[in-house]
Amino acid sequence: MLLVLAMAMTGTIFTDLIIYRTCLITLGINETECLILHNNSSSEEALKINTKVQPHASLILMSKSFIESIFPSLLSLFLGPWSDKYGRKPVILSGYIGISLTYILLSMMTNWEVGPWYFLLTYIPMALLGGISVLMLASICYITDITDNNERAWHLAWLDALISLGLLVGLFSGPAIYQAYGYTAVFSVASVLCTVATLYTFFIPETIQSRTSGICDIFAFMLVKDIIDTCIKKRDGFNRPLVWSCIACITLLLIDYQGNLAIGYLFASARLGWTVDQFSIYIATSVVIGIFGTIFGIKLIRRCTGFAEATIAIISVTSSLCAALVQAFTWQSWHMYLSIGVGVFGNLSRPMIRAILSKAVPEKDTGKVFSLATFVETLLPFTAASLYTFLYSQYMPPLYPLPVWFFSVAFYATTIIILIYIQIHMKRNIISFTPLREDNDSIIDIY
């Protein structure tokens, strides 16, 4: 929660920083005109400046997504199966330390009059140590270790809810700190929060005991072979369609999330003339409604109706699809808030799908399967974010309806089709685990 608080309070501020430095340094526009983007962003002059600035800023933000995606996705292939053997805590610590270093560097570089491209250097430590994707991989595996099948969906939903709580606090506090003290203060506070979160991690108990540290084995290609053996090879008792369908759904949902994140502020600023404060209030409202929809949605939908996880996920994705349609036809501020109400159950799908996936694999292979899921989740959203930003830069407001939101509609529709298949598949098949003997006579459990 502390980590997401830090990321939330800096996310929009970082985008604003890139836009401002692009205007001031890259394009050489005088400071008075660039400040209009902060002080009077809804004015006609600000909209003209945005038309020049945003294509350049979009390219920088796309490059940032590339740095955050490529190496962490490859790293997740090794760290997932490695954590199955040597423990979850080292992987969790790696993610926290990398993100902490990134914010420490950002807090220093904001004092320097450098071009916007230089800020991408600060994201290298985060990428090299795994970043948020590897951290979420280890956290989900950790929760799977300490929960049973009946309560796992509930705990995963609480994970999402508490992450949303950190997001909510961050969205309110970030702009307030920025308005009072500037960019440096925002990134400095984020650095402190990440450091506290890192120190806390030292006190959680390890769930997997190992006699060796395994440091030398982190990049052993045998770990990747283990993933192939577990997830790809055709074996008796291993129901590949279910596992891969879950991974496909998680990936498509993350593509939508990353794409919306990449263009959300740009769209609100260009279409509606929103400032950072206005957009933060909108996101905060979205988070509050999302928390309500996640916690009470599970209680009401699952316990009152008895629906299976796949059915609840279908309801959730349908809610998100309707929200995307509302955004596509937005031309007044209240339309954005209408999309929040329509998408109230949008956050239910991810914990439901992860719960299905966790039940479909043996406990000893949790890290391997979620490692593959994280690899796909991390790699493909970069392409999606690039596609979103490219399409947005080519077809910006005042074009109506905005074509970029129909990407989300297409992805949500595809996800619903896959979830229907999962629901039918689960009714027809029984999950079982088959012990198979490898060539080296060791016994492993394969689903």
Side-chain angles (χ1 to χ4, degrees):
M1 186 179 68
L2 290 175
L3 180 77
V4 175
L5 196 161
M7 298 181 74
M9 69 188 301
T10 58
T12 306
I13 302 300
F14 181 81
T15 301
D16 185 74
L17 173 64
I18 294 299
I19 291 175
Y20 179 71
R21 290 291 179 92
T22 300
C23 177
L24 186 65
I25 297 177
T26 303
L27 299 181
I29 301 174
N30 67 68
E31 185 175 2
T32 303
E33 292 184 79
C34 291
L35 287 174
I36 295 176
L37 298 175
H38 290 157
N39 303 327
N40 192 13
S41 61
S42 60
S43 66
E44 184 177 346
E45 187 176 356
L47 294 176
K48 290 180 180 178
I49 296 174
N50 259 326
T51 303
K52 299 176 182 178
V53 171
Q54 286 200 6
H56 294 274
S58 298
L59 183 60
I60 297 172
L61 296 174
M62 182 177 65
S63 301
K64 171 178 171 285
S65 299
F66 178 84
I67 294 172
E68 291 176 313
S69 300
I70 300 303
F71 188 77
S73 65
L74 296 175
L75 195 59
S76 66
L77 285 178
F78 295 92
L79 291 182
W82 184 89
S83 70
D84 284 337
K85 295 181 179 180
Y86 300 106
R88 314 296 188 193
K89 279 186 66 173
V91 182
I92 294 175
L93 278 171
S94 174
Y96 279 116
I97 291 172
I99 297 173
S100 299
L101 289 174
T102 288
Y103 285 122
I104 290 172
L105 291 173
L106 277 172
S107 64
M108 293 188 296
M109 288 189 65
T110 49
N111 292 307
W112 307 338
E113 293 296 325
V114 297
W117 284 99
Y118 286 98
F119 289 107
L120 298 183
L121 296 175
T122 63
Y123 284 86
I124 293 177
M126 181 188 293
L128 293 179
L129 292 176
I132 188 66
S133 57
V134 167
L135 181 57
M136 284 300 297
L137 161 65
S139 298
I140 292 172
C141 289
Y142 190 94
I143 290 175
T144 302
D145 292 341
I146 62 175
T147 56
D148 57 35
N149 287 343
N150 293 329
E151 294 296 325
R152 189 165 299 142
W154 176 245
H155 286 284
L156 289 172
W158 267 109
L159 171 65
D160 276 10
L162 291 174
I163 286 174
S164 297
L165 179 60
L167 181 64
L168 175 64
V169 177
L171 289 171
F172 276 119
S173 58
I177 296 172
Y178 166 70
Q179 292 292 342
Y181 304 105
Y183 293 115
T184 301
V186 175
F187 294 114
S188 297
V189 173
S191 301
V192 173
L193 293 173
C194 291
T195 302
V196 172
T198 303
L199 294 175
Y200 172 79
T201 307
F202 284 99
F203 297 96
I204 66 171
E206 178 61 82
T207 57
I208 295 176
Q209 304 300 324
S210 176
R211 295 181 180 179
T212 59
S213 65
I215 296 296
C216 297
D217 296 333
I218 288 180
F219 293 104
F221 282 96
M222 185 60 69
L223 299 175
V224 180
K225 182 179 181 298
D226 288 343
I227 294 178
I228 296 174
D229 291 341
T230 304
C231 302
I232 298 180
K233 282 187 176 180
K234 185 177 181 180
R235 297 179 178 185
D236 294 337
F238 176 46
N239 195 330
R240 291 180 298 176
L242 180 61
V243 173
W244 282 99
S245 295
C246 289
I247 292 174
C249 288
I250 293 173
T251 301
L252 289 171
L253 291 173
L254 193 60
I255 286 173
D256 289 310
Y257 174 76
Q258 292 287 347
N260 295 343
L261 191 65
I263 66 166
Y265 176 63
L266 300 176
F267 168 75
S269 177
R271 166 73 78 192
L272 305 171
W274 281 8
T275 63
V276 171
D277 290 341
Q278 289 174 304
F279 185 71
S280 296
I281 293 172
Y282 161 75
I283 294 296
T285 305
S286 176
V287 170
V288 171
I289 299 300
I291 294 174
F292 175 84
T294 298
I295 300 303
F296 290 94
I298 289 181
K299 288 289 186 180
L300 294 175
I301 298 177
R302 189 174 186 182
R303 298 198 175 185
C304 295
T305 64
F307 287 160
E309 287 98 338
T311 304
I312 298 175
I314 292 171
I315 295 173
S316 172
V317 178
T318 303
S319 179
S320 297
L321 186 150
C322 294
L325 283 174
V326 173
Q327 288 176 320
F329 291 93
T330 291
W331 58 277
Q332 292 186 5
S333 294
W334 69 270
H335 294 164
M336 294 292 285
Y337 288 92
L338 175 62
S339 71
I340 296 175
V342 172
V344 61
F345 296 120
N347 292 336
L348 277 174
S349 55
R350 291 189 300 273
M352 293 300 105
I353 296 170
R354 285 175 179 144
I356 295 171
L357 184 58
S358 69
K359 294 177 182 180
V361 296
E363 291 183 4
K364 67 185 292 294
D365 293 327
T366 300
K368 300 181 183 68
V369 174
F370 277 111
S371 179
L372 180 63
T374 302
F375 171 75
V376 178
E377 289 174 29
T378 308
L379 191 61
L380 291 185
F382 165 71
T383 304
S386 302
L387 194 58
Y388 270 72
T389 53
F390 173 77
L391 184 62
Y392 175 80
S393 63
Q394 297 298 313
Y395 302 98
M396 291 175 57
L399 187 66
Y400 180 87
L402 202 65
V404 68
W405 295 119
F406 290 104
F407 265 114
S408 295
V409 173
F411 287 134
Y412 287 133
T414 304
T415 304
I416 291 172
I417 294 172
I418 298 174
L419 285 170
I420 293 173
Y421 166 77
I422 290 175
Q423 176 67 10
I424 296 173
H425 186 84
M426 291 181 69
K427 285 184 177 181
R428 293 179 178 177
N429 295 273
I430 300 175
I431 294 177
S432 62
F433 298 96
T434 303
L436 297 177
R437 186 172 296 273
E438 295 286 272
D439 294 337
N440 59 2
D441 294 331
S442 63
I443 299 296
I444 61 174
D445 288 328
I446 299 297
Y447 166 63

